[in-house]
Amino acid sequence: DTEVTQTPKHLVMGMTNKKSLKCEQHMGHRAMYWYKQKAKKPPELMFVYSYEKLSINESVPSRFSPECPNSSLLNLHLHALQPEDSALYLCASSHPMGENYGYTFGSGTRLTVV
Amino acid sequence: AQKITQTQPGMFVQEKEAVTLDCTYDTSDQSYGLFWYKQPSSGEMIFLIYQGSYDEQNATEGRYSLNFQKARKSANLVISASQLGDSAMYFCAMREGDNYGQNFVFGPGTRLSVLP
């Protein structure tokens, strides 16, 4: 299995809603990442989990809450989002270091906050 | 300073012709890796090709080749025999040292349009 699976593919939520994005991989990668990507821009790093522990939080607002329940799963819990949070949210995984294929990305969740 | 520069916001190429997408990078590390990703309108980031800083030969993967000029710090992607399905956003990326996370940076991207 060489895939990163993200669900849902599309999500529309109101500013008072609580929702979660899910990411799953079975490649044995021990580093997992959340990226946010606005239209026509490169992905921006949000969070890094290494060996199921949060190692990097790029000053992301607390309305985004990541969780890594096990080595295969990564969640992003969303609460009280703003319209400017509408974006493509990409999950990726990799070996923590040294492997030559960079990241394996999921197909992303297109989030619209209304 | 930007770590990765892609000077072509948009490129057009005729179907079946070759095209070169430019990428220059800036690092003081001796060990680093350079990557190219393709992102179609569907959103998925697809890995295309990798070049390590110590690799002496230019990387090739099918129709993709990487023109690596270390002294000039450039890592241009060459796509031969363009196909309509090659129309997408292309990102050059660099991993500094051996770690990912904050050490993995993307360029601004080049949008390639293949014309029939």
Side-chain angles (χ1 to χ4, degrees), chain A residues 6-89:
Chain A
Q6 285 189 248
T7 55
K9 292 195 182 305
H10 300 273
L11 178 62
V12 179
M13 61 185 289
M15 289 189 284
T16 58
N17 291 159
K18 285 185 180 181
K19 296 287 184 182
S20 297
L21 309 184
K22 181 179 172 182
C23 174
E24 191 168 4
Q25 58 90 13
H26 297 285
M27 294 176 283
H29 288 168
R30 301 305 296 275
M32 296 185 75
Y33 313 83
W34 280 115
Y35 277 82
K36 174 183 177 180
Q37 187 179 22
K38 301 287 270 185
K40 301 182 181 180
K41 297 289 186 182
E44 298 174 5
L45 183 64
M46 299 175 71
F47 302 104
V48 180
Y49 273 84
S50 182
Y51 296 95
E52 295 87 70
K53 293 193 186 309
L54 182 65
S55 60
I56 295 172
N57 175 343
E58 288 284 2
S59 303
V60 179
S62 59
R63 58 186 183 268
F64 295 91
S65 174
E67 178 196 21
C68 189
N70 59 55
S71 60
S72 299
L73 277 176
L74 184 67
N75 298 320
L76 186 62
H77 303 298
L78 314 173
H79 173 55
L81 294 193
Q82 303 297 310
E84 59 264 27
D85 296 322
S86 298
L88 179 68
Y89 288 84

Side-chain angles (χ1 to χ4, degrees), chain A residues 33 37 41-42 45 56 58 88 90 94-103 105 107 110, chain B residues 35 37 39 41-45 47 50 89 91 95 98-102 104 106-108:
Chain A
Y33 313 83
Q37 187 179 22
K41 297 289 186 182
L45 183 64
I56 295 172
E58 288 284 2
L88 179 68
L90 290 163
S94 76
H95 292 293
M97 59 183 288
E99 186 253 327
N100 294 340
Y101 291 92
Y103 292 168
F105 282 90
S107 56
R110 289 196 186 275
Chain B
F35 304 80
Y37 285 87
Q39 188 176 39
S41 56
S42 59
E44 184 180 4
M45 294 280 276
F47 165 77
Y50 165 82
M89 197 76 172
F91 291 99
R95 182 201 70 227
D98 288 330
N99 293 310
Y100 289 93
Q102 287 172 318
F104 196 81
F106 289 90

Side-chain angles (χ1 to χ4, degrees), chain B:
Chain B
Q2 274 198 334
K3 294 275 188 179
I4 300 279
T5 302
Q6 294 179 255
T7 57
Q8 308 149 314
M11 288 278 286
F12 291 89
V13 65
Q14 208 68 40
E15 194 178 6
K16 300 180 185 175
E17 292 186 351
V19 62
T20 298
L21 306 184
D22 294 342
C23 172
T24 56
Y25 59 93
D26 182 27
T27 182
S28 55
D29 281 10
Q30 296 301 307
S31 175
Y32 54 90
L34 297 158
F35 304 80
W36 277 92
Y37 285 87
K38 171 186 178 181
Q39 188 176 39
S41 56
S42 59
E44 184 180 4
M45 294 280 276
I46 302 166
F47 165 77
L48 295 178
I49 197 166
Y50 165 82
Q51 180 85 41
S53 58
Y54 294 118
D55 295 341
E56 294 185 353
Q57 303 240 351
N58 286 341
T60 60
E61 290 285 349
R63 294 187 299 112
Y64 304 107
S65 60
L66 200 151
N67 184 358
F68 181 47
Q69 298 187 47
K70 192 170 181 177
R72 296 181 60 190
K73 293 189 175 178
S74 81
N76 299 339
L77 177 71
V78 180
I79 305 174
S80 63
S82 298
Q83 301 172 355
L84 295 177
D86 294 334
S87 293
M89 197 76 172
Y90 288 80
F91 291 99
C92 179
M94 176 174 65
R95 182 201 70 227
E96 292 185 283
D98 288 330
N99 293 310
Y100 289 93
Q102 287 172 318
N103 298 316
F104 196 81
V105 293
F106 289 90
T110 294
R111 179 163 296 282
L112 177 67
S113 298
V114 180
L115 305 174

